[in-house]
Amino acid sequence: MPREIAFHGVYMPTMTLMFLIALAVAWALDRFLAGFDLYRFFWHPALLRLSLFTCLFGAMALTVYR
């Protein structure tokens, strides 16, 4: 995968695309967990949301910048 992506003539880092994809996947998982009321099993739901996004974004970034 290239390190830059051209978007309407503006070069953006691939990390921007990875950020948006990770955000969408984290949002979908958040809706899944909230839909089945699984947040009641976690101590701090906001911390779970942040760590879930961080792990997804880090895993996706490692595939590009490895």
Side-chain angles (χ1 to χ4, degrees), residues 13-63:
T14 307
M15 297 298 282
T16 306
L17 180 62
M18 294 294 166
F19 181 86
L20 295 174
I21 293 171
L23 189 65
V25 171
W27 179 80
L29 285 173
D30 179 54
R31 293 292 94 208
F32 175 77
L33 290 172
F36 287 107
D37 197 27
L38 295 175
Y39 278 125
R40 62 187 162 107
F41 295 114
F42 295 100
W43 169 69
H44 202 289
L47 188 59
L48 176 70
R49 288 180 182 115
L50 178 66
S51 62
L52 177 69
F53 171 75
T54 304
C55 289
L56 287 170
F57 182 61
M60 294 175 97
L62 283 174
T63 61

